[in-house]
Amino acid sequence: MARKKLIAANWKMYKTPDEAKAFFAEFLPLVAAHTRDEIAIFPSPVLLPTVIDAAKGSKISVGAQNIHFADEGAYTGETSIGQLKAIGGTHTLIGHSERRQYFAETDEIVNKKLHAALKHCIVPIVCIGEVLEEREAGKTAEVLKKQVTGAFAGITPEAAAPIVIAYEPVWAIGTGKTATPEMAAEAHAIVRAEVAKILGAPVANAMRILYGGSVKPDNASALLNQAEIDGALVGGASLKADSFKAIVTY
Ligand code: 13P
């Protein structure tokens, strides 16, 4: 069965509520008739209510860039999955490389968050990817396998259906350097094989693996036309309605 592609916008720490509203006013008419792919937007937490409201009545899903794994508690600055759900959020990123790099997120934390998201029926996008030194040292496969194994510890095939993976080579994020479609497809195949080892081939074959890292309107179609690439996680080029629309409609 063909995997429906998911094109996701990670807005990172950009935009005010007014800017988010302006984006939607421009973006919604551009994709109103687009049903081929799923679209999801991940704004920073303060924008979530505005963006969820703006997306109402459309097919666009809205999610958090990060969630805490605890149901509630004394965790200053954090957002729980229950809070995300209560306002209508349906998805979350987990383990983005910027969370791993700047906020010390480990595979163990990623694993706890993945369990929490599945428990609460929130669609998790688990982000993995190697840094430049690891790629240059020929360690890409090893790193990806370790990240997948760590993230998926204790996850059963029965529970795994909602999981999406995003392969984002860290050296390609925000740098303008993109993995070639062949490099990305090769990494995706490694990841899918590892998922198959852990959860079985049927789960692995159904799981969507997105590519992220300097996806732009001019490289989107080459990447997204690879059979192994099931969508994109887009940073910079998702901030403007026209460029994100061009990627969505690659
Ligand atoms: P850029 O598209 O800006 O490289 O960001 C990619 C990314 O980190 C998406 O999560």
Side-chain angles (χ1 to χ4, degrees):
M1 204 182 71
R3 297 179 292 261
K4 188 165 184 161
K5 296 203 198 267
L6 168 61
I7 317 291
N10 175 5
W11 282 357
K12 306 194 179 182
M13 203 170 69
Y14 292 100
K15 289 194 191 294
T16 62
D18 281 348
E19 288 164 352
K21 279 187 215 161
F23 174 94
F24 269 84
E26 196 185 337
F27 184 65
L28 284 182
L30 296 176
V31 295
H34 189 83
T35 52
R36 182 192 58 187
D37 313 286
E38 278 177 43
I39 304 172
I41 300 208
F42 295 84
S44 62
V46 77
L47 300 179
L48 278 167
T50 305
V51 170
I52 288 166
D53 192 49
K56 270 205 186 101
S58 76
K59 290 206 174 66
I60 298 174
S61 305
V62 182
Q65 294 172 11
N66 178 39
I67 42 95
H68 197 275
F69 49 77
D71 284 347
E72 59 181 4
Y75 297 104
T76 301
E78 295 291 312
T79 306
S80 76
I81 301 184
Q83 290 170 325
L84 174 67
K85 259 184 111 161
I87 60 164
T90 53
H91 290 53
T92 188
L93 303 183
I94 296 179
H96 190 279
S97 68
E98 286 148 18
R99 300 289 321 164
R100 294 178 189 254
Q101 236 179 322
Y102 307 131
F103 303 97
E105 266 187 36
T106 59
D107 288 335
E108 195 188 350
I109 294 172
V110 169
N111 176 247
K112 284 185 178 172
K113 291 184 175 187
L114 181 57
H115 278 278
L118 293 174
K119 177 175 138 198
H120 292 282
C121 302
I122 288 286
V123 178
I125 302 185
V126 178
C127 305
I128 57 173
E130 80 287 1
V131 301
L132 186 61
E133 300 78 67
E134 291 164 340
R135 174 156 287 266
E136 286 177 342
K139 290 190 172 151
T140 300
E142 183 189 323
V143 169
L144 296 178
K145 286 180 192 175
K146 182 175 164 287
Q147 289 175 333
V148 170
T149 312
F152 284 23
I155 301 291
T156 62
E158 295 71 35
I163 302 174
V164 178
I165 294 178
Y167 167 60
E168 299 202 293
V170 181
W171 49 269
I173 295 179
T175 57
K177 281 188 213 155
T178 323
T180 62
E182 294 72 26
M183 276 160 89
E186 189 189 345
H188 285 210
I190 291 167
V191 171
R192 200 177 299 286
E194 195 59 23
V195 175
K197 254 197 237 165
I198 303 168
L199 296 171
V203 172
N205 289 335
M207 193 168 287
R208 289 180 293 185
I209 306 178
L210 319 184
Y211 169 78
S214 296
V215 177
K216 309 284 177 205
D218 62 3
N219 60 26
S221 97
L223 288 160
L224 288 162
N225 278 311
Q226 291 279 334
E228 261 301 332
I229 301 183
D230 305 314
L233 183 53
V234 187
S238 73
L239 292 167
K240 291 221 167 87
D242 55 352
S243 78
F244 191 46
K245 182 255 177 187
I247 293 171
V248 167
T249 57
Y250 67 93

